[in-house]
Amino acid sequence: MYFSIRTTQSLLANLWLGCAIALPGSSPGLDGSQIEDASTIVRDVAVIGGGASGTYAAIQLRQMGHSVVVVEKEPLLGGATNTYYDPVSGKYIDYGVLIWQDIPEARDFLAHFNISTTIEQFSNSDSARVDLRTGENVPPPQGNVTEAMLRYVDQLLKYPYLSDGWDLPDSVPEDLLLPFGDFVEKYDLAPAVETLTLYAQGLKDWLPYPTVYIMKYFSLGVALGAQNGFLGTADHNNGALYEAAREELGEDALIGSTVAGMDRPANRTHRILVRTPNGYRLIRAKRTIIAAPPKLENLQNFDLDDTESDVFGQFESSFYYTTVTKLPGLPAGLGFLNRGADTLYNLPPLPGVYTITPTLVPEMYTVFYGGGEKKTEDEVKESIKDSVLKLSEAGFNTSEPEILAFSNHSPFELFVSSDKIASGFYRNLYALQGHRNTYYAGAAFHAQDSAALWRFVGNLLKTIFD
């Protein structure tokens, strides 16, 4: 029985493939010889990208009764979630996604995999401010930080729709389009700049960005978390969430795999040729969800039409790198904020280190670096080492750092200019939802915030399948 059914399925698949290859308008990215060698996967939905959005979408789709397959280029799921295990102490160190908003979607997702959680509080009170170009100590912000933060939150409250995505009014409010530096001056937010920008790591120079991007980073949800605490894992092993998801998905997660070609007709089954560690696979799916960063260089084999290419081609991005670094000799429990001694609001010149934060493991720190133009891994590591050694000129006893773990999160924080936002860029971006039976998720469609993305994806799936 098993042999006869599998044989019949194989014959039907081969017949279908033979017809499909000859279809007019077939994507030139689908190589006939590779298709012939590829085994076929038939699913309701194909999810491209296994980061926070893609993994959540896959798990939710299965719970909704839909079959799914996930394609992820990295050897594990989780995207920006990175966890390092220290074999000496037996402890974990998160150095990508550190915490989540404490919202039902996050609690339910973690509870589904029996991940123990705790409430994390974040403070800069145990941090020294140092200009890591010179080793000069920098004073804390002048003025009343709390009052400035309250003024910022008052402005956030004017735009509650930012918590749900990019569904902006046709006439985008002028304040959202102001360069953030102008917004700071307009509402007397100078004492709050340090706090706001520390929560918005991964950006280039913050001050020229349209204010709406800062508000998407430091949202109402983040403001609540800053006051009441964020959700974290009890053992600081956020990667366990995605290990559990990988186990649940089983063979439906094609990790270490990349898209070799696509054919996404609007009214027929999608075909996605995937290069996996075990050879080519051909996915046939009714719908496709793309949860990878929609930069053109990432989508070269995605069968984009002119409409999709025009929208995605407008995105710019930043670069962001995270590390676990061993730094002997520093005072236990003390963190460091990179500040500019001679810059407006003491913002650090970028590209450069944002923060150096102690972990629960002695002498081990998370070091976050980014902004500016793209660098090689060796260039970033060398710059981090140079910056850390400058702490000696600030009076701290430190020696040559050892980078134990490194992750490149580029391209990061996709953005466009104020003029493009005002001209309806995000309206055009959202118009792609459902175009050619393809849907989109990920930070570019909402925010660099895993919990907020889980809520966004849940709402998107309801829209697709209700």
Side-chain angles (χ1 to χ4, degrees):
M1 179 71 73
Y2 176 82
F3 176 80
S4 63
I5 291 175
R6 293 291 294 176
T7 302
T8 301
Q9 289 175 332
S10 178
L11 289 171
L12 288 173
N14 287 334
L15 284 171
W16 183 89
L17 288 173
C19 293
I21 293 169
L23 285 173
S26 181
S27 168
L30 288 178
D31 184 278
S33 62
Q34 293 170 345
I35 288 177
E36 290 177 358
D37 294 335
S39 56
T40 303
I41 301 171
V42 180
R43 295 291 186 272
D44 294 329
V45 183
V47 178
I48 312 300
S53 295
T55 301
Y56 186 82
I59 296 299
Q60 294 300 310
L61 283 165
R62 284 166 64 102
Q63 292 179 346
M64 295 167 69
H66 303 286
S67 61
V68 65
V69 61
V70 180
V71 179
E72 168 54 44
K73 68 176 182 178
E74 299 297 333
L76 70 171
L77 301 177
T81 302
N82 305 122
T83 303
Y84 174 79
Y85 175 72
D86 175 45
V88 177
S89 65
K91 293 181 179 179
Y92 295 94
I93 299 172
D94 289 314
Y95 66 103
V97 174
L98 303 180
I99 41 82
W100 300 283
Q101 286 188 46
D102 186 12
I103 59 176
E105 289 80 1
R107 286 193 170 276
D108 291 347
F109 195 35
L110 291 156
H112 175 75
F113 295 108
N114 298 314
I115 305 291
S116 298
T117 60
T118 187
I119 297 298
E120 299 274 0
Q121 300 285 347
F122 282 81
S123 171
N124 298 326
S125 58
D126 295 326
S127 295
R129 295 165 173 83
V130 179
D131 188 326
L132 294 180
R133 298 169 300 172
T134 63
E136 183 178 351
N137 287 288
V138 178
Q142 302 301 303
N144 191 310
V145 175
T146 300
E147 290 181 359
M149 286 300 302
L150 289 173
R151 289 194 292 274
Y152 173 78
V153 171
D154 282 343
Q155 295 305 311
L156 271 182
L157 290 169
K158 296 179 179 179
Y159 316 107
Y161 45 81
L162 294 180
S163 296
D164 298 321
W166 283 99
D167 190 14
L168 302 173
D170 288 340
S171 179
V172 181
E174 180 182 349
D175 279 354
L176 296 182
L177 302 176
L178 282 178
F180 180 59
D182 293 352
F183 184 80
V184 168
E185 290 186 12
K186 182 174 180 178
Y187 292 103
D188 189 21
L189 302 178
V193 168
E194 179 178 280
T195 299
L196 294 173
T197 54
L198 284 174
Y199 278 88
Q201 292 183 16
L203 302 183
K204 300 180 181 181
D205 179 9
W206 295 268
L207 300 181
Y209 273 89
T211 292
V212 65
Y213 288 110
I214 307 301
M215 287 187 164
K216 292 291 286 184
Y217 253 104
F218 202 109
S219 62
L220 285 171
V222 171
L224 288 172
Q227 180 178 3
N228 301 322
F230 295 93
L231 194 63
T233 51
D235 57 358
H236 297 275
N237 180 13
N238 292 350
L241 171 64
Y242 294 97
E243 291 174 2
R246 168 72 179 87
E247 183 175 351
E248 181 169 313
L249 289 168
E251 294 183 355
D252 288 334
L254 303 180
I255 60 173
S257 302
T258 55
V259 172
M262 276 191 185
D263 182 25
R264 294 180 291 120
N267 299 311
R268 297 195 307 275
T269 299
H270 291 183
R271 297 183 299 156
I272 305 169
L273 185 65
V274 178
R275 187 184 297 106
T276 81
N278 299 314
Y280 286 97
R281 308 294 300 274
L282 182 70
I283 299 170
R284 295 173 53 203
K286 300 173 184 176
R287 297 177 176 86
T288 299
I289 295 176
I290 296 177
K295 289 273 285 183
L296 290 183
E297 58 263 35
N298 288 347
L299 307 176
Q300 291 180 0
N301 298 326
F302 281 53
D303 184 30
L304 299 182
D305 64 17
D306 290 344
T307 300
E308 294 163 330
S309 296
D310 178 66
V311 174
F312 296 144
Q314 297 180 58
F315 272 127
E316 301 176 63
S317 62
S318 183
F319 302 95
Y320 191 42
Y321 312 86
T322 63
T323 78
V324 175
T325 302
K326 188 173 183 179
L327 304 176
L330 296 176
L334 181 67
F336 298 88
L337 309 182
N338 186 15
R339 313 304 294 161
D342 57 355
T343 61
L344 187 59
Y345 310 121
N346 298 125
L347 289 170
L350 300 176
V353 169
Y354 297 109
T355 57
I356 301 172
T357 306
T359 72
L360 296 178
V361 181
E363 298 188 342
M364 291 195 188
Y365 295 74
T366 53
V367 181
F368 300 99
Y369 184 102
E373 299 305 315
K374 185 177 182 180
K375 291 179 174 286
T376 66
E377 180 174 333
D378 287 343
E379 288 172 336
V380 173
K381 289 180 176 179
E382 192 63 29
S383 183
I384 288 174
K385 290 179 180 179
D386 290 344
S387 296
V388 168
L389 291 175
K390 286 295 182 182
L391 292 174
S392 63
E393 298 184 29
F396 297 98
N397 179 26
T398 187
S399 56
E400 184 77 12
E402 179 185 1
I403 296 177
L404 303 174
F406 181 95
S407 185
N408 183 352
H409 296 267
S410 310
F412 194 80
E413 181 50 50
L414 275 57
F415 67 95
V416 297
S417 67
S418 290
D419 287 345
K420 290 180 179 178
I421 297 173
S423 297
F425 172 83
Y426 282 102
R427 181 173 61 251
N428 296 335
L429 182 73
Y430 272 29
L432 294 178
Q433 296 286 22
H435 177 64
R436 301 172 69 195
N437 233 10
T438 302
Y439 298 85
Y440 296 89
F445 281 77
H446 186 15
Q448 295 281 353
D449 182 322
S450 295
L453 288 173
W454 295 338
R455 174 172 286 175
F456 176 87
V457 170
N459 291 332
L460 176 64
L461 295 181
K462 292 175 184 176
T463 300
I464 297 172
F465 293 103
D466 279 357

